[in-house]
Amino acid sequence: MKRYSLILILTISAISQVYAQPFVSVNSGLPGVGRGAVAFADFDNDGDLDLILSGQDNTYSPFSAVYRNDAGQFVGVESGIAPLENCAMAVADFDLDGLQDVVITGVDFDGSKTLLYRNTGNLLFVLVPAGFYNAGAGGDLAWADYNNDGYPDLVISGNWQTHLYTNNGDGTFSPDEAGLVGMNTPALAWGDFDNDGDPDLLMSGDAGSVGEVYIYINQDGDFFRLEAQIEGAVGGDARWGDFDNDGNLDILITGKDASLTPVSYVYRNNGDNTFSFANAGLVGTALGPADWIDYDNDGDLDVMVAGQNAGCGNAATRLYENNGAGSFYEFPAGLAYAERAASAWGDFDNDGDYDLVLTGISTGHTTRLYRNDLITGSFQPNTPPTAPGNLYTYVSGDYAVISWARSTDAQSPQNSITYNVMMGTSPGSIDVISPMSDPATGHRYMTAAGNAGQNDFMVFRNLEPGTYYFRVQAIDQAFAGSAFSDEGSFAVLGTHTTDQPLQMPELLLQHGIIMVNYLPVSRGEAYLIGPEGRIVETRHFAGNNFEMSVRDLTPGLYVIRLLAEGKQWTWKFVK
């Protein structure tokens, strides 16, 4: 009997250690907020994450505030940001000055507003008259460089309209008639799901029939809807994330379906522009966030959902651990329930794991700061990946591609690592691409994937003549950044010269046809090398010009190599 009692005690002890409370509620002094948005960002570039909080306060009034991180304590500052509720926000360095700016859409007592704020340093923000669409209550917005010119562009959706704005690079924005569907209470996310070097757009919400998903493929800045069999939802969230670490972005969708029942779906990216339903076993959740986050530093993405569940008055915040085999099980994290909720993940105490801020309505308006204390026992701090190497450039006219060798990481598989590029017109500068990281240390100013996604290349279009300098950073599944690579450079020559035509061999890709012109030889062999380094096709050519169809290739980075008369020419191109 004593033996069985001892076994029972040991079993209970083991279970209690495995499920020890990882998240500790910290007395942060942050005000309770619901129907709002929250984000971590290092707004003052001092090496720790600050906090911006917006929404409805306990007096049912609009509220916004910025909090400076002082050694793990959050202190309110006079930021100049106006209060909004029923809002969404997004952070990016839109003017490429190395400081993180913020845009918020929502409502105040005067009506709907979309407000863009430029960070001037010292946690002070100045309103920029951008002329953005006022999406109103329940709208959403997201930044991404959709046209590959280095400047973050913005999409805004809500109240049955969707607007895309091109960043002109001079502090102004121009509307782009992209033909995106108008939605009510949408969720938006950018991600390069087809790995072709430009961000695609995921939209979930009400486009006339409750609960729809639209995926727009970005092809050189033009958008085409993908006919994907994905169940949509309204009043929830939509997120890209590679949960199975195969190098392809998968989809997480939450919200209410056509019958107004809360749902939570995961769809696996098959790598061929199709998606398959993954039976993830998540409880249906609406009116709150859905997050991909590697909370336990094991190299795969876990899931947190917060908000309303099925049944009258039911709400919960649930954390699901990725078992590494394509499914999830609920981890007893002890997080407070909240609906009309918002969340932000970030390592605010710089101890190597990701902490959580959760806001929402839970017997009143609430804001909870949870410190992640998993780094005990078998859990270890996350370590950053190795810095990328083997930088390569290809330039044709005002079109350029840079590429690099993939990094490795002690926790995250190589396919799951994303990459982050900084680029400027002088050594060490970021006036072409801001990395939202410290160039000297690699410290991330944001909890986010890199601006190149999971690609080992980045494409640029319509570059002005001049010399460009770039460096690359690797980012793992826990969003920790490596040191930056050594600096590479390339030159873009004038593209409108008429008196001196280009006589060096050049490669062009038009309408699915590779064309090599101005060859100084008349006979040789061409080798097409695929993304995995294997020869896909070998051809003989004759004449000073060469053509090859690449319409049937899968998306990725390819190399074409020409050998003739002891000479060799090599180009990289993106399909």
Side-chain angles (χ1 to χ4, degrees), residues 212-461:
E212 296 175 87
V213 165
Y214 283 66
I215 298 175
Y216 284 98
I217 299 177
N218 183 350
Q219 294 185 357
D220 299 338
D222 296 321
F223 292 90
F224 303 90
R225 185 186 174 191
L226 177 69
E227 296 296 333
Q229 299 299 315
I230 297 178
E231 294 293 329
V234 64
D237 214 342
R239 290 287 180 264
W240 295 104
D242 183 10
F243 82 93
D244 53 2
N245 287 338
D246 65 350
N248 299 311
L249 290 177
D250 311 301
I251 293 176
L252 172 63
I253 298 285
T254 63
K256 294 185 178 182
D257 65 10
S259 65
L260 299 182
T261 300
V263 295
S264 298
Y265 299 135
V266 173
Y267 283 87
R268 179 179 285 105
N269 184 341
N270 299 321
D272 57 359
N273 288 358
T274 66
F275 293 83
S276 299
F277 179 76
N279 190 14
L282 310 180
V283 171
T285 308
L287 304 180
D291 297 324
W292 294 109
I293 183 71
D294 183 12
Y295 82 93
D296 53 2
N297 292 346
D298 66 350
D300 52 30
L301 290 177
D302 311 300
V303 171
M304 191 207 77
V305 291
Q308 185 183 97
N309 307 134
C312 181
N314 290 336
T317 301
R318 289 182 164 89
L319 187 62
Y320 291 91
E321 185 169 344
N322 187 336
N323 67 7
S327 60
F328 300 82
Y329 61 88
E330 187 171 353
F331 185 90
L335 304 174
Y337 80 87
E339 57 181 319
R340 305 289 179 179
S343 63
W345 290 86
D347 185 9
F348 83 92
D349 52 2
N350 286 333
D351 68 346
D353 54 23
Y354 279 80
D355 314 295
L356 171 67
V357 170
L358 179 69
T359 73
I361 299 175
S362 172
T363 62
H365 298 68
T366 185
T367 297
R368 299 287 189 95
L369 173 63
Y370 290 97
R371 186 182 67 239
N372 187 341
D373 281 354
L374 265 180
I375 300 179
T376 58
S378 61
F379 293 97
Q380 299 297 321
N382 183 63
T383 57
T386 60
N390 297 332
L391 303 183
Y392 179 89
T393 62
Y394 165 74
V395 181
S396 177
D398 57 2
Y399 172 88
V401 178
I402 63 174
S403 65
W404 50 87
R406 292 189 178 275
S407 298
T408 58
D409 184 76
Q411 292 85 28
S412 299
Q414 194 172 48
N415 280 342
S416 69
I417 294 174
T418 65
Y419 296 92
N420 199 38
V421 174
M422 58 176 282
M423 192 164 82
T425 55
S426 62
S429 66
I430 59 169
D431 58 332
V432 178
I433 299 178
S434 175
M436 299 203 291
S437 298
D438 187 328
T441 66
H443 168 74
R444 293 285 287 151
Y445 297 148
M446 291 286 296
T447 304
N451 53 30
Q454 291 164 297
N455 299 313
D456 57 357
F457 63 91
M458 181 175 272
V459 177
F460 305 95
R461 298 183 178 90

Side-chain angles (χ1 to χ4, degrees), residues 92-110:
D93 181 9
F94 85 88
D95 53 359
L96 307 187
D97 65 351
L99 297 170
Q100 310 314 301
D101 312 300
V102 63
V103 62
I104 310 175
T105 188
V107 297
D108 60 14
F109 293 132
D110 295 324

Side-chain angles (χ1 to χ4, degrees), residues 105 133-141 155-163 181-188 203 206:
T105 188
Y133 168 65
N134 298 322
D140 200 9
L141 36 69
V155 63
I156 305 174
S157 185
N159 198 23
W160 309 109
Q161 295 186 46
T162 298
H163 296 265
V181 66
M183 277 193 170
N184 195 36
T185 57
L188 308 175
M203 305 178 65
D206 185 353

